[in-house]
Amino acid sequence: MSFRATAHHPALILDDIRGAQKMLSGVARVTALEGSRHLTELVGAPVHLKCENLQRTGSFKLRGAYVRISGLSPVERAAGVVAASAGNHAQGVALASSLLGVRSTVFMPVGAPLPKVAATREYGAEVRLHGQVVDETLAAAQRYAEETGAVFIHPFDHPDIIAGQGTVGLEILEQCPEVRTIVLGIGGGGFAAGVAVAVKALRPDVRIIGVQAEGAACYPPSLAAGHPVSLDSPVTMADGIKVGRPGDVPFALIDELVDEVRTVTEDELSSALLLCLERAKLVVEPAGASPVAALLSDPEAFRGPVVAVLSGGNVDPLLMQRILRHGMSAAGRYLSLRLRLTDRPGALAALLAALTVADANVLDISHVRTDPRLGLTEAEVDLHLETKGPQHCAEVEAALRAEGFRVMG
C-alpha cells in the first residue's frame, strides 16, 4: 500500500483504510456490536460494545499486522519478520505471518504469561524470551533485525499498521450509523489514530475519546507539550496500553483528530472488567475494558449513542483471578469484620447461622481463643465475607449486631 505524506506527518486518507479493509476480507472478522443495557441506563443514552476481544488472536492487532506484512516486497518477505510484544501484537504478527507464508520471530519478556507465549508459538512464530520489561525486549528484537535482515514489525508506529487498525472505525460506522461518540483505549496510539482517520473522514461530528491508564498516561503530557514525551516508568496492570512514549506517526494524527484523552485508575479498570464479565458475559483484558472504565467513572460526559471498543480479551487466568478479586473489593462486594464472642460451645455455630440468614458467603474465617487481649471467657473471630454490594454489607453488619454479636470493625 502507498500512503500520502504532508509536511506535518505521513498522513493516511480514507482510501488507504478502505484498501486495508479489502485486504483483510476473509482474514479479520467483522466483530459484533453488542448493546449494553446497564451502561445505557448509566449514561442515559444507547451504549454499544464493539467486541474486538472476539477477533482472531483475541484482539484488533491482527488487522494492522496483516496489512503491514502484506505490503512487504518479495525480498523482504524472504528475510522474514521480527516483532517484540508481551502478548497481543505477538499473536497478531504470528498469525498474519503464517497466513502469508512468512517466517516470524517474536521476542517476548521473560515474565510474559505462559498462555500468551504458548498461543504465539501455536500461531507459528519462533518465540525468544528476552528481558524483564518490554523496552529490553524491543531492543533485542531491533538488534535481531539489524543482524539478520528480518523486517521489524512495529506494534503501532507505522502507517500500514495504523491503516489496518482503522478498519475498526469503518465497521463501527456501518454497524451504528447514528453513533455520536467512540471511546477506545490508547497505548502507543496506532489504534486510536487509525479509527480517528476513518471516522473523521466520513463523520467529522463524531467525538473520538481516547482512554489511558492513569499510571501509564503518556498522551496528556505529550499533547500539552506538542510532541511525544517519554514516561520514566509506566505502571499499570493494563499491559495492552502500557506504553511509555507515543509513536511519532500516530501522535500527529491523534493530536489533529482525537477530541479528548481521559485517564482511569486501576480500581476503575478492575470494576470495568468485572462488569464486562458479569453483565455482558464477555472476557476482556484490562486494556480492553478501559473505555468501559471511562464510562463508569463519568457517565454524564458522553454524548450518545456511544460505542465503546473492547480492544482485546487476552488475559492471563491468574491475573484475571487477582483482578476480579480487586474489582469485587472496589465494588464493595467484600466485607471484613472482627467480632468478639463468648467462648462457649455453639457460639461459633450461632455466628455462622446468623451469616446464613443474612445471605453472606464466608470466604475465610479465623477463630482465636488464646490471646492476651481477650478476657477469660472471650474468643475473637476474623471474617472475610462475600456480599452483594455496599448496601448488603451494611445489612449484614446490622443483622449481626441485632443478634447480639460485638462487631469490633
Side-chain angles (χ1 to χ4, degrees):
M1 299 180 70
S2 64
F3 296 91
R4 298 158 178 80
T6 71
H8 301 291
H9 55 71
L12 285 82
I13 63 173
L14 181 61
D15 285 347
D16 298 324
I17 298 176
R18 282 179 167 158
Q21 188 177 44
K22 290 179 181 178
M23 188 180 295
L24 289 167
S25 177
V27 176
R29 295 174 181 145
V30 176
T31 51
L33 194 73
E34 300 285 348
S36 171
R37 185 173 64 180
H38 179 78
L39 291 173
T40 293
E41 292 174 354
L42 191 67
V43 172
V47 176
H48 306 279
L49 305 175
K50 175 64 171 168
C51 300
E52 280 296 289
N53 59 311
L54 302 180
Q55 183 57 261
R56 296 178 71 180
T57 75
S59 87
F60 67 91
K61 290 287 190 176
L62 170 66
R63 297 173 184 261
Y66 189 89
V67 173
R68 172 77 173 99
I69 298 170
S70 292
L72 298 180
S73 69
V75 172
E76 289 173 322
R77 290 194 185 198
V81 299
V82 60
S85 168
N88 289 348
H89 181 59
Q91 293 173 69
V93 168
L95 179 57
S97 299
S98 293
L99 293 173
L100 292 165
V102 176
R103 185 178 70 258
S104 64
T105 303
V106 175
F107 285 76
M108 303 181 75
V110 172
L114 293 179
K116 294 184 179 183
V117 174
T120 303
R121 286 190 172 120
E122 288 170 8
Y123 286 129
E126 177 190 346
V127 174
R128 298 192 179 191
L129 301 178
H130 185 93
Q132 299 299 320
V133 296
V134 175
D135 286 345
E136 295 174 358
T137 308
L138 182 64
Q142 291 172 325
R143 285 196 301 271
Y144 178 89
E146 294 168 1
E147 293 166 0
T148 65
V151 179
F152 179 66
I153 307 299
H154 199 283
F156 51 81
D157 205 10
H158 193 281
D160 290 7
I161 294 286
I162 296 171
Q165 322 304 31
T167 58
V168 173
L170 296 181
E171 290 180 15
I172 290 172
L173 294 183
E174 292 164 2
Q175 294 170 312
C176 186
E178 69 278 13
V179 63
R180 298 180 73 189
T181 304
I182 296 174
V183 191
L184 72 174
I186 298 184
F191 183 42
V195 170
V197 169
V199 171
K200 291 292 188 178
L202 295 169
R203 288 279 309 281
D205 60 301
V206 173
R207 281 180 60 77
I208 309 291
I209 298 178
V211 184
Q212 292 207 287
E214 191 174 71
C218 59
Y219 265 90
S222 298
L223 293 170
H227 58 82
V229 173
S230 297
L231 300 179
D232 290 335
S233 53
V235 177
T236 177
M237 63 181 168
D239 57 355
I241 52 175
K242 184 181 177 181
V243 175
R245 183 186 185 278
D248 293 323
V249 180
F251 175 80
L253 295 168
I254 287 173
D255 188 29
E256 178 183 344
L257 300 173
V258 171
D259 296 282
E260 182 184 359
V261 176
R262 290 173 165 256
T263 62
V264 292
T265 66
E266 300 297 284
D267 281 351
E268 287 164 347
L269 286 168
S270 296
S271 296
L273 189 147
L274 183 62
L275 183 142
C276 288
L277 187 63
E278 286 192 325
R279 298 298 183 95
K281 316 306 178 193
L282 292 168
V283 175
V284 183
E285 63 188 272
S290 59
V292 175
L295 293 176
L296 292 175
S297 67
D298 191 7
E300 297 179 357
F302 300 88
R303 183 180 62 184
V306 177
V307 173
V309 185
L310 308 180
S311 58
N314 292 318
V315 56
D316 177 45
L318 295 177
L319 176 62
M320 169 72 88
Q321 188 178 44
R322 293 198 298 271
I323 291 171
L324 290 179
R325 284 200 301 264
H326 188 76
M328 290 181 71
S329 179
R333 298 275 295 276
Y334 289 143
L335 175 62
S336 295
L337 292 174
R338 176 170 294 172
L339 299 91
R340 289 281 173 88
L341 307 178
T342 301
D343 188 14
R344 58 177 175 77
L348 185 58
L351 171 60
L352 296 175
L355 291 171
T356 300
V357 172
D359 202 20
N361 185 36
V362 178
L363 298 176
D364 188 46
I365 184 169
S366 174
H367 186 209
V368 178
R369 301 175 67 188
T370 56
D371 190 288
R373 296 177 294 109
L374 299 176
L376 182 62
T377 60
E378 288 184 324
E380 192 169 83
V381 175
D382 285 327
L383 290 170
H384 191 45
L385 307 173
E386 181 184 359
T387 70
K388 300 172 184 177
Q391 180 61 36
H392 189 209
C393 287
E395 292 170 358
V396 170
E397 189 168 343
L400 292 176
R401 292 183 187 278
E403 289 294 322
F405 293 103
R406 292 174 58 198
V407 180
M408 311 299 292

